[in-house]
Amino acid sequence: MSMDKFTALTAIVAPMDRSNVDTDAIIPKQFLKSIKRTGFGPNLFDEWRYEDVGEPGVDNSNRPLRKEFLLNQPRYQGARILLARENFGCGSSREHAPWALKDYGFDVIIAPSFADIFFNNSFKNGILPIVLDEAIIDGLFKEVFAEEGYQLTVDLEHQQIKKPNGEAIPFEVDSFRRHCLLNGLDDIGLTLQHEDEIKAFEAKYKAASPWLYR
Amino acid sequence: MSAKTLYDKLWDSHVVREEEDGTALIYIDRQLLHEVTSPQAFEGLRLANRKPWRIDANLATPDHNVPTTAFNSVEDIVDPISRIQVQTLDANTKQFGITEFGIGDVRQGIVHVVGPEEGVTLPGMTLVCGDSHTATHGALGALAHGVGTSEVEHVLATQCLIQKKMKNMLVKVDGRLQPGVSPKDVVLAIIGQIGTAGGNGHAIEFGGQVFRDMSIEGRMTVCNMAIEAGARVGLVAVDEKTVEYVKGRPFAPKSEDWDAAVAAWQDLKSDENAQFDKVVEIDGSKIEPQVSWGTSPEMVSDVNGKVPNPSHEVDDVKASGIRRALDYMGLQADMAITDIPVDYVFIGSCTNSRIEDFREAAAVLKGRKVASSVEQALVVPGSGLVKKQAEEEGLDKIFIEAGFEWRNPGCSMCLAMNADRLPSGKHCASTSNRNFEGRQGAGGRTHLVSPQMAAAAAVAGHFVDVRDMMKEAS
Ligand code: SF4
């Protein structure tokens, strides 16, 4: 699947101030029964977001909201950047988690650390996960809480985040993943450019481990 | 040549190419597929007009959505959305010619139980599955990764995975386990010590006396939960037990292939002087039976310990995490773990649904009854073959006489995608692997334990040290 190109964005930041946010919380299991990749946005953080228990196929627009939940607060409407704590996206490998975040409208997640599989899945769906120092994250949380409508600019090309006061925070990203995101490249297409190498490896490997090919 | 870890060896033998920044293409020997994370991958193949690279590298079985009550065919699945997902797997495997152990096949079950049981998982291979508990297969010395759906599609189409090499971590547990302490307690104790992010970015090798002494099924229980320690990969070195376990299984190599394979597997261990980026050492003789009290697998305690008090925690984020967990779990700070009531009991999941798990639980339940305060107690085998074996050993009768329901194989109440759900506010002694909020059912309160601790809790109606219960009897 090819993706949209990711370049730069300026958007409202939603602060999720808890560590170890797991993929069961991001998208509860009942929604994993879908055989599609889209439509998960309304059920993002379902159990935290709504008063009742969500089920697939139900119209979410009439469900009672938990007013205090982050994404239900008027000040964070339209947020496309999620500010998070340690080990974001831990637990199950469900790619439905980044699908739900993306479908809701998040393009960037900033955290001190991510769970490995989630981190990987994010890139494959045009979401940029950014790792920053705990101290910088702490500072960002304070600023987001203090100022309604707080926005950040994330510039992948130049690998930096710009704060409203103009201060720039540099961030690291794998060159391969950056290249794929910037150009909206499809992993499978890229890999198949090396088809001959894979075939050559396979032939050699098969000769050495024939029992794997019977 | 410098000394290598087991992970280094498995990695090196599967690198097809490597970019300058370390991004590599890794050849994948085996892919296991189930109904939840594969439909979008097959759809992607179709849309791009692609074919699987190597059809016989794949094996599929439905597990997450499957009812565990008696039923005969896919059409009998009552929930229409679940039924469509299982039917979609049937249709996709049929279209692409992939072997499937479908509903009604005695080999059907949880992918991570089925793979090793059938000899589909072999030492030295690379294996992926669209499921984070794929680390389980590392118990056989295989490099097994849990992957997302895009990667499922990528492996189907290219037989490769794009990966960067992880770091090496060794968790060394020496000494001998006390009687009544199980592999589940070992892995919960490890997670309690290193935390759920302790293994992030690392492949964990479990080494030391405790794992050498452990059965292969026990090693699977431990590797299964590597992901709960943050590691995508868990590994145990190959030894005679591994070879013995694999021998004669339906998909295992035969005759001269077998001899060649066994010879190749001899090297599947870390070299003597191999360097690890991180080493954690734990004294196995000090590990006690564990019970999780919170909403993350690192929130565990010795059974004879207490629920923590957030006011003793210096770190603010941690203290608020504890507070939130106690609130969700309906527990008071400082209460004894053994005072937590148990309303539901679930023995099953890819962590603890194998024959040895059932033997351990049955040994506790023999001649005892589930407490009247327990509303439901379920035993769910990991596969049709585990079920059959247990019935041949008469274990089903012990469970049923004690007051358990003896079910059909599947994931069941581990994540409650089928009809088996933990109701809101109820406490469950569960042998599964995740105690996240809502995992076993919205509002449900999960406590992770070993099979023998779950059985003991079922009898007592609250958590109890299984060793005390067994002592009373003798
Ligand atoms: S038993 Fe539970 S953890 Fe294991 S594969 Fe099934 S749902 Fe996932």
Side-chain angles (χ1 to χ4, degrees):
Chain A
M1 231 191 36
S2 65
M3 302 180 301
D4 296 340
K5 291 182 187 174
F6 188 113
T7 43
L9 99 138
T10 302
I12 291 187
V13 182
M16 178 151 280
D17 194 8
R18 58 193 289 171
S19 51
N20 295 317
V21 171
D22 59 76
T23 53
D24 278 83
I26 298 173
I27 183 86
K29 69 277 192 141
Q30 60 271 37
F31 306 107
L32 273 48
K33 295 179 186 181
S34 165
I35 56 172
K36 303 203 208 91
R37 279 176 197 259
T38 51
F40 297 99
N43 301 108
L44 175 71
F45 297 117
D46 199 271
E47 286 179 20
W48 294 344
R49 194 161 151 199
Y50 300 97
E51 298 271 3
D52 61 347
V53 177
E55 287 297 334
V58 165
D59 178 6
N60 296 287
S61 60
N62 296 322
R63 294 175 55 201
L65 296 173
R66 292 184 198 270
K67 295 247 159 39
E68 70 293 350
F69 180 64
L70 182 72
L71 302 183
N72 293 333
Q73 297 176 28
R75 62 184 287 188
Y76 300 122
Q77 296 313 303
R80 290 174 65 193
I81 300 172
L82 187 68
L83 181 64
R85 293 287 185 186
E86 184 200 33
N87 204 25
F88 187 87
C90 61
S92 129
S93 63
R94 61 188 68 164
E95 199 157 320
H96 313 69
W99 292 339
L101 286 158
K102 186 79 183 175
D103 200 57
Y104 178 89
F106 285 115
D107 296 309
V108 176
I109 306 171
I110 305 174
S113 62
F114 291 89
D116 293 352
I117 302 180
F118 177 83
F119 188 74
N120 212 23
N121 282 343
S122 295
F123 283 104
K124 312 237 180 240
N125 292 284
I127 295 178
L128 173 63
I130 300 177
V131 178
L132 294 179
D133 266 9
E134 195 111 37
I136 299 177
I137 300 263
D138 271 343
L140 288 174
F141 267 102
K142 284 202 188 96
E143 290 171 27
V144 175
F145 284 131
E147 186 185 326
E148 190 158 343
Y150 186 93
Q151 299 201 347
L152 289 173
T153 298
V154 176
D155 182 349
L156 177 59
E157 178 100 59
H158 301 99
Q159 293 184 221
Q160 63 174 20
I161 298 173
K162 270 234 178 75
K163 301 218 285 189
N165 64 8
E167 191 189 321
I169 306 170
F171 64 86
E172 296 285 324
V173 54
D174 253 30
S175 54
F176 174 75
R177 283 165 159 157
R178 176 170 168 272
H179 175 72
C180 289
L181 269 184
L182 283 175
N183 298 293
L185 293 176
D186 155 31
D187 276 2
I188 297 179
L190 282 177
T191 297
L192 287 174
Q193 289 175 3
H194 306 298
E195 195 172 339
D196 293 344
E197 268 175 87
I198 303 172
K199 285 196 172 135
F201 175 91
E202 199 167 41
K204 224 171 56 199
Y205 184 72
K206 185 172 173 177
S209 319
W211 60 89
L212 292 174
Y213 291 82
R214 310 256 198 243
Chain B
M1 237 178 53
S2 62
K4 289 180 177 184
T5 65
L6 172 55
Y7 173 63
D8 294 338
K9 291 180 187 180
L10 291 166
W11 173 269
D12 289 351
S13 62
H14 289 86
V15 175
V16 174
R17 57 175 280 124
E18 200 162 348
E19 308 288 337
E20 255 171 48
D21 75 346
T23 305
L25 268 189
I26 297 297
Y27 187 79
I28 300 300
D29 297 313
R30 188 76 79 207
Q31 170 151 251
L32 301 175
L33 299 153
H34 64 84
E35 79 278 21
V36 179
T37 55
S38 67
Q40 297 87 350
F42 281 113
E43 188 59 21
L45 279 192
R46 268 190 296 266
L47 288 175
N49 232 331
R50 288 176 176 136
K51 294 244 166 337
W53 182 278
R54 187 152 79 82
I55 290 163
D56 65 358
N58 299 282
L59 176 79
T61 190
D63 51 10
H64 286 65
N65 274 287
V66 173
T68 58
T69 42
F71 73 110
N72 299 316
S73 76
V74 185
E75 284 71 36
D76 295 342
I77 300 180
V78 182
D79 177 349
I81 317 180
S82 288
R83 186 171 62 235
I84 289 170
Q85 211 168 42
V86 176
Q87 285 171 329
T88 304
L89 183 68
D90 291 348
N92 283 329
T93 51
K94 202 158 160 213
Q95 183 192 343
F96 290 103
I98 292 169
T99 306
E100 184 195 2
F101 298 161
I103 305 285
D105 188 320
V106 71
R107 298 168 297 181
Q108 176 266 330
I110 307 172
V111 274
H112 310 310
V113 174
V114 170
E117 180 175 79
E118 285 294 312
V120 165
T121 308
L122 295 174
M125 66 170 29
T126 45
L127 179 150
V128 297
C129 174
D131 189 282
S132 59
H133 290 101
T134 308
T136 311
H137 307 261
L140 292 168
L143 178 55
H145 294 89
V147 297
T149 298
S150 296
E151 291 172 316
V152 170
E153 183 182 340
H154 191 274
V155 173
L156 276 169
T158 70
Q159 214 53 50
C160 290
L161 186 64
I162 302 173
Q163 270 270 296
K164 262 193 160 177
K165 196 175 172 196
M166 292 176 253
K167 289 188 186 151
N168 280 291
M169 177 167 177
L170 175 65
V171 174
K172 196 157 176 267
V173 187
D174 275 313
R176 290 199 193 273
L177 297 179
Q178 304 169 49
V181 174
S182 75
K184 181 65 163 287
D185 299 307
V186 173
V187 71
L188 286 174
I190 291 169
I191 297 163
Q193 178 160 339
I194 69 176
T196 47
N200 278 10
H202 291 77
I204 299 183
E205 178 171 343
F206 297 97
Q209 181 77 38
V210 161
F211 302 111
R212 283 197 296 277
D213 290 347
M214 203 175 269
S215 71
I216 298 298
E217 291 193 1
R219 294 176 189 176
M220 287 187 216
T221 299
V222 172
C223 288
N224 174 275
M225 290 192 72
I227 187 71
E228 267 64 59
R232 211 171 167 177
V233 164
L235 288 168
V236 177
V238 171
D239 61 10
E240 279 133 55
K241 284 187 192 167
T242 324
V243 174
E244 206 40 51
Y245 176 91
V246 173
K247 196 173 182 179
R249 299 204 174 252
F251 287 75
K254 306 262 151 29
S255 47
E256 69 264 32
D257 269 353
W258 173 254
D259 299 331
V262 172
W265 296 342
Q266 296 310 311
D267 190 41
L268 294 173
K269 52 178 184 275
S270 290
D271 294 333
E272 197 120 328
N273 300 315
Q275 290 299 310
F276 288 86
D277 302 283
K278 209 169 170 180
V279 178
V280 176
E281 295 192 44
I282 293 175
D283 181 352
S285 67
K286 298 229 164 74
I287 297 175
E288 301 276 314
Q290 304 284 304
V291 179
S292 77
W293 51 265
T295 52
S296 159
E298 68 188 23
M299 294 174 161
V300 287
S301 165
D302 293 353
V303 62
N304 297 307
K306 281 179 180 175
V307 172
N309 190 328
S311 55
H312 299 161
E313 177 60 59
V314 281
D315 181 326
D316 282 351
V317 176
K318 279 212 179 108
S320 76
I322 295 174
R323 241 172 245 123
R324 209 171 348 228
L326 294 187
D327 185 43
Y328 179 85
M329 296 296 288
L331 300 176
Q332 274 78 51
D334 293 326
M335 77 187 276
I337 295 288
T338 47
D339 284 341
I340 302 174
V342 169
D343 311 303
Y344 279 69
V345 180
F346 171 63
I347 299 180
S349 91
C350 55
T351 317
N352 283 126
S353 63
R354 300 182 179 82
I355 192 69
E356 289 175 11
D357 299 316
F358 288 3
R359 287 182 192 140
E360 293 289 348
V364 175
L365 291 171
K366 193 162 189 179
R368 295 191 172 90
K369 293 264 181 246
V370 172
S372 58
S373 59
V374 171
E375 294 168 39
Q376 188 177 42
L378 290 181
V379 197
V380 185
S383 71
L385 288 169
V386 172
K387 183 172 190 242
K388 189 161 162 268
Q389 166 94 30
E391 287 171 353
E392 280 164 15
E393 295 182 19
L395 302 181
D396 57 327
K397 297 213 177 58
I398 298 176
F399 283 114
I400 292 166
E401 269 160 31
F404 272 80
E405 294 174 37
W406 179 248
R407 294 292 190 89
N408 282 322
C411 293
S412 180
M413 208 190 274
C414 172
L415 95 166
M417 264 184 93
N418 71 352
D420 308 333
R421 296 188 192 174
L422 177 61
S424 184
K426 300 291 181 187
H427 291 271
C428 180
S430 176
T431 65
S432 56
N433 42 52
R434 289 191 174 132
N435 51 351
F436 300 150
E437 287 184 21
R439 170 79 180 184
Q440 293 193 283
R445 296 164 170 170
T446 303
H447 300 273
L448 304 175
V449 286
S450 72
Q452 42 274 65
M453 283 287 287
V459 172
H462 55 85
F463 289 102
V464 60
D465 191 334
V466 63
R467 296 170 301 184
D468 295 342
M469 189 174 277
M470 298 310 270
K471 238 185 269 155
E472 276 165 32
S474 57

